[in-house]
Amino acid sequence: MKETYAVEQKLIETAVANPTAGHHSDAYTEHYGRMSTEATDLVNDIVSGRKKTGEWKPFWTEWRSKGLDRMAREFQKSIEKNV
């Protein structure tokens, strides 16, 4: 237990805080669940050999129009409003 705790203490030093924590995005609420599932499915398909790694970049390009850009704008607006 003490060894595990010691490792966790070292790892926590490398942690990066989520800048969107405490902020809201309607697009995140509306789209993130589906988008997360789609990304996980693609990773699993690539790892299992059903799809090529070349499908990763086009996936992100498509994802941007499916709500990722809107999420970024809404989170940025919330962050700037609450600074």
Side-chain angles (χ1 to χ4, degrees), residues 39-50:
T40 299
D41 289 348
L42 179 58
V43 168
N44 289 338
D45 286 344
I46 291 170
V47 169
S48 65
R50 290 186 296 266

Side-chain angles (χ1 to χ4, degrees), residues 42 46 51-59:
L42 179 58
I46 291 170
K51 294 191 176 180
K52 305 256 187 237
T53 56
E55 295 186 48
W56 187 247
K57 191 172 183 177
F59 171 81

Side-chain angles (χ1 to χ4, degrees), residues 1-15:
M1 186 69 147
K2 289 181 181 181
E3 290 176 16
T4 301
Y5 180 77
V7 169
E8 288 174 345
Q9 294 307 302
K10 288 182 181 181
L11 288 173
I12 208 161
E13 293 173 9
T14 65

Side-chain angles (χ1 to χ4, degrees), residues 58-76:
F59 171 81
W60 281 98
T61 301
E62 181 182 336
W63 231 38
R64 292 181 68 165
S65 66
K66 286 185 171 183
L68 191 62
D69 284 343
R70 186 173 147 215
M71 282 182 224
R73 286 191 306 273
E74 291 174 355
F75 278 128
Q76 185 64 40

